[in-house]
Amino acid sequence: MTGKRRPVAQVGPVFLIVGGAAGLIGGATHGDLPEDSGAAALQFVADHPAYALVHIVSILGAVLWSIGLAGRYVDRATPTGRWLATAAGHAALAGAAVMAVQFSIDGIGMTALAALWSEPGASRETFEAIAEIAPAALVGTALTWVVILYGLAPILAGSSLVLTARPVLGWTAVALGAFSVVGGLTLALRVNLLPDWLVFAGATIGVNLWIICLGAAQLRGAPARTSQAIAQ
């Protein structure tokens, strides 16, 4: 029994750290897909040999830290705190699922489209028209995962941490989540409050850094929790 408690206590924090790091790497290496024309977008993807891989890394990161968030990351929580922690994990997993759909189409689909567009004798006009329409068609899924994965999940997780005497981590998550929710909703409603690049970059960088900090804090506390469990 003793040998099993320590690994279990450390799995969740490791998932948080690795997932957050993967999310940061994916966001930093994605680049800004041109939106002025389909030809420019396809050329950008064709010149970005790791475009599909970047999206897969981002999906993997979101899934990993969502699983970590769904685990036990609150101690001495009230029933309300435990409910909030569980709800945060569920929201994160739902948001990660939406991201997986959108990033699979945007990453792998656009890479395949760019390869067809680059072939000699290809009907470039057709592929360019598809590439021009695709980003607009996918904007709904993009804003959905921003609001749920990077907005609702951190707000719920942060609220649970506030109730477990971790106010700094807790309120930081609430603030980051609120930024993502407000930014995503205003973009969806076409209210020019924040530019889209700031919403996506701010949400990606801020929340993934917070996830890494949460994982590190939990990893430092894991041995102490294990010792307490053994003593009991």
Side-chain angles (χ1 to χ4, degrees):
M1 191 71 178
T2 300
K4 294 180 180 178
R5 288 183 182 272
R6 184 178 296 272
V8 170
Q10 294 180 350
V11 167
V14 170
F15 272 40
L16 290 171
I17 295 171
V18 174
L24 283 177
I25 293 171
T29 55
H30 183 281
D32 189 11
L33 185 70
E35 297 180 358
D36 51 345
S37 71
L42 290 172
Q43 188 63 60
F44 175 86
V45 175
D47 293 338
H48 194 327
Y51 193 75
L53 178 60
V54 164
H55 287 76
I56 293 173
V57 169
S58 296
I59 294 170
L60 179 61
V63 171
L64 285 176
W65 72 250
S66 295
I67 294 173
L69 205 62
R72 184 184 176 187
Y73 63 93
V74 292
D75 302 305
R76 302 180 300 279
T78 63
T80 301
R82 285 192 294 271
W83 184 89
L84 288 168
T86 301
H90 292 166
L93 288 170
V98 178
M99 173 190 270
V101 172
Q102 194 249 336
F103 269 28
S104 295
I105 298 172
D106 180 35
I108 301 173
M110 283 290 285
T111 299
L113 195 66
L116 293 172
W117 175 79
S118 301
E119 290 181 357
S123 178
R124 291 200 162 194
E125 293 79 7
T126 301
F127 296 128
E128 289 167 6
I130 296 173
E132 192 167 348
I133 296 171
L138 293 173
V139 69
T141 51
L143 295 177
T144 297
W145 60 255
V146 165
V147 171
I148 297 176
L149 179 65
Y150 286 154
L152 180 59
I155 289 174
L156 293 170
S159 300
S160 71
L161 290 168
V162 170
L163 295 177
T164 57
R166 289 195 173 186
V168 175
L169 273 174
W171 287 117
T172 299
V174 171
L176 290 170
F179 171 84
S180 300
V181 169
V182 171
L185 291 179
T186 54
L187 289 177
L189 297 173
R190 299 192 176 185
V191 178
N192 295 323
L193 182 63
L194 297 169
D196 56 356
W197 67 266
L198 180 60
V199 173
F200 283 97
T204 301
I205 296 171
V207 173
N208 280 297
L209 282 175
W210 176 80
I211 285 293
I212 294 172
C213 292
L214 176 62
Q218 289 300 110
L219 198 59
R220 286 197 302 269
R225 290 196 301 275
T226 305
S227 300
Q228 293 171 2
I230 294 171
Q232 292 174 358

Short mmCIF file of all heavy atoms in Angstrom, two decimals, residues 142-144 146-147 178-190 194 199-200:
data_model
loop_
_atom_site.label_atom_id
_atom_site.label_comp_id
_atom_site.label_asym_id
_atom_site.label_seq_id
_atom_site.Cartn_x
_atom_site.Cartn_y
_atom_site.Cartn_z
N ALA A 142 -12.91 27.49 -32.31
CA ALA A 142 -11.76 28.10 -31.65
C ALA A 142 -12.19 28.92 -30.44
O ALA A 142 -11.61 28.81 -29.35
CB ALA A 142 -11.00 28.98 -32.64
N LEU A 143 -13.21 29.74 -30.61
CA LEU A 143 -13.67 30.57 -29.50
C LEU A 143 -14.33 29.72 -28.41
O LEU A 143 -14.28 30.07 -27.22
CB LEU A 143 -14.65 31.62 -30.01
CG LEU A 143 -14.04 32.67 -30.96
CD1 LEU A 143 -15.11 33.62 -31.46
CD2 LEU A 143 -12.91 33.44 -30.27
N THR A 144 -14.91 28.59 -28.79
CA THR A 144 -15.54 27.71 -27.80
C THR A 144 -14.50 27.13 -26.86
O THR A 144 -14.68 27.12 -25.64
CB THR A 144 -16.31 26.57 -28.51
OG1 THR A 144 -17.37 27.13 -29.28
CG2 THR A 144 -16.90 25.61 -27.47
N VAL A 146 -11.53 28.34 -26.27
CA VAL A 146 -10.94 29.43 -25.49
C VAL A 146 -11.79 29.72 -24.26
O VAL A 146 -11.28 29.85 -23.14
CB VAL A 146 -10.78 30.70 -26.35
CG1 VAL A 146 -10.51 31.92 -25.47
CG2 VAL A 146 -9.64 30.54 -27.34
N VAL A 147 -13.11 29.80 -24.45
CA VAL A 147 -14.02 30.12 -23.35
C VAL A 147 -14.10 28.99 -22.33
O VAL A 147 -14.09 29.23 -21.11
CB VAL A 147 -15.42 30.46 -23.90
CG1 VAL A 147 -16.43 30.58 -22.75
CG2 VAL A 147 -15.38 31.76 -24.69
N ALA A 178 -11.22 34.63 -16.38
CA ALA A 178 -12.13 35.73 -16.71
C ALA A 178 -11.69 36.45 -17.98
O ALA A 178 -12.51 36.83 -18.83
CB ALA A 178 -12.22 36.71 -15.54
N PHE A 179 -10.36 36.65 -18.11
CA PHE A 179 -9.83 37.28 -19.33
C PHE A 179 -10.20 36.45 -20.56
O PHE A 179 -10.63 37.01 -21.59
CB PHE A 179 -8.31 37.41 -19.23
CG PHE A 179 -7.64 37.83 -20.51
CD1 PHE A 179 -7.56 39.17 -20.85
CD2 PHE A 179 -7.09 36.88 -21.37
CE1 PHE A 179 -6.95 39.56 -22.04
CE2 PHE A 179 -6.49 37.26 -22.56
CZ PHE A 179 -6.42 38.61 -22.90
N SER A 180 -10.05 35.13 -20.48
CA SER A 180 -10.35 34.27 -21.62
C SER A 180 -11.83 34.28 -21.95
O SER A 180 -12.21 34.30 -23.13
CB SER A 180 -9.88 32.84 -21.33
OG SER A 180 -8.49 32.78 -21.09
N VAL A 181 -12.67 34.25 -20.92
CA VAL A 181 -14.12 34.25 -21.15
C VAL A 181 -14.55 35.56 -21.80
O VAL A 181 -15.27 35.57 -22.80
CB VAL A 181 -14.88 34.02 -19.83
CG1 VAL A 181 -16.38 34.30 -20.01
CG2 VAL A 181 -14.69 32.59 -19.34
N VAL A 182 -14.12 36.67 -21.23
CA VAL A 182 -14.50 37.98 -21.78
C VAL A 182 -13.95 38.14 -23.19
O VAL A 182 -14.66 38.58 -24.11
CB VAL A 182 -13.99 39.11 -20.86
CG1 VAL A 182 -14.20 40.48 -21.53
CG2 VAL A 182 -14.71 39.07 -19.52
N GLY A 183 -12.69 37.79 -23.39
CA GLY A 183 -12.09 37.92 -24.71
C GLY A 183 -12.78 37.05 -25.74
O GLY A 183 -13.09 37.50 -26.85
N GLY A 184 -13.04 35.79 -25.39
CA GLY A 184 -13.70 34.89 -26.33
C GLY A 184 -15.12 35.31 -26.67
O GLY A 184 -15.53 35.27 -27.83
N LEU A 185 -15.87 35.73 -25.66
CA LEU A 185 -17.25 36.13 -25.91
C LEU A 185 -17.34 37.42 -26.73
O LEU A 185 -18.20 37.56 -27.59
CB LEU A 185 -17.99 36.31 -24.58
CG LEU A 185 -18.27 35.02 -23.79
CD1 LEU A 185 -18.98 35.34 -22.48
CD2 LEU A 185 -19.11 34.04 -24.62
N THR A 186 -16.45 38.37 -26.45
CA THR A 186 -16.49 39.61 -27.22
C THR A 186 -16.11 39.37 -28.68
O THR A 186 -16.69 39.99 -29.59
CB THR A 186 -15.54 40.67 -26.62
OG1 THR A 186 -14.22 40.12 -26.49
CG2 THR A 186 -16.04 41.14 -25.27
N LEU A 187 -15.18 38.46 -28.93
CA LEU A 187 -14.85 38.11 -30.31
C LEU A 187 -16.03 37.42 -30.99
O LEU A 187 -16.32 37.67 -32.16
CB LEU A 187 -13.62 37.22 -30.36
CG LEU A 187 -12.27 37.87 -30.03
CD1 LEU A 187 -11.15 36.83 -30.06
CD2 LEU A 187 -11.96 39.01 -31.01
N ALA A 188 -16.69 36.53 -30.24
CA ALA A 188 -17.85 35.83 -30.81
C ALA A 188 -18.98 36.80 -31.14
O ALA A 188 -19.69 36.63 -32.15
CB ALA A 188 -18.34 34.77 -29.83
N LEU A 189 -19.15 37.82 -30.31
CA LEU A 189 -20.21 38.82 -30.52
C LEU A 189 -19.75 39.96 -31.41
O LEU A 189 -20.50 40.91 -31.64
CB LEU A 189 -20.66 39.37 -29.17
CG LEU A 189 -21.30 38.35 -28.21
CD1 LEU A 189 -21.55 38.98 -26.85
CD2 LEU A 189 -22.59 37.81 -28.80
N ARG A 190 -18.49 39.88 -31.89
CA ARG A 190 -17.91 40.88 -32.76
C ARG A 190 -17.88 42.27 -32.11
O ARG A 190 -18.15 43.28 -32.75
CB ARG A 190 -18.65 40.93 -34.09
CG ARG A 190 -18.59 39.60 -34.84
CD ARG A 190 -19.06 39.72 -36.26
NE ARG A 190 -18.88 38.47 -36.96
CZ ARG A 190 -19.12 38.31 -38.28
NH1 ARG A 190 -19.52 39.34 -39.00
NH2 ARG A 190 -18.93 37.13 -38.84
N LEU A 194 -11.00 43.53 -27.61
CA LEU A 194 -9.62 43.05 -27.62
C LEU A 194 -9.31 42.45 -28.98
O LEU A 194 -10.17 41.78 -29.57
CB LEU A 194 -9.40 41.99 -26.53
CG LEU A 194 -9.58 42.43 -25.07
CD1 LEU A 194 -9.59 41.21 -24.16
CD2 LEU A 194 -8.47 43.38 -24.66
N VAL A 199 -6.22 37.84 -27.37
CA VAL A 199 -7.06 36.88 -26.65
C VAL A 199 -6.45 35.49 -26.69
O VAL A 199 -6.28 34.83 -25.66
CB VAL A 199 -8.49 36.85 -27.25
CG1 VAL A 199 -9.31 35.73 -26.62
CG2 VAL A 199 -9.17 38.20 -27.05
N PHE A 200 -6.07 35.03 -27.88
CA PHE A 200 -5.52 33.68 -28.02
C PHE A 200 -4.14 33.57 -27.36
O PHE A 200 -3.86 32.59 -26.66
CB PHE A 200 -5.45 33.28 -29.50
CG PHE A 200 -6.78 32.90 -30.08
CD1 PHE A 200 -7.53 33.82 -30.79
CD2 PHE A 200 -7.29 31.63 -29.92
CE1 PHE A 200 -8.76 33.48 -31.34
CE2 PHE A 200 -8.51 31.26 -30.45
CZ PHE A 200 -9.25 32.19 -31.17
#
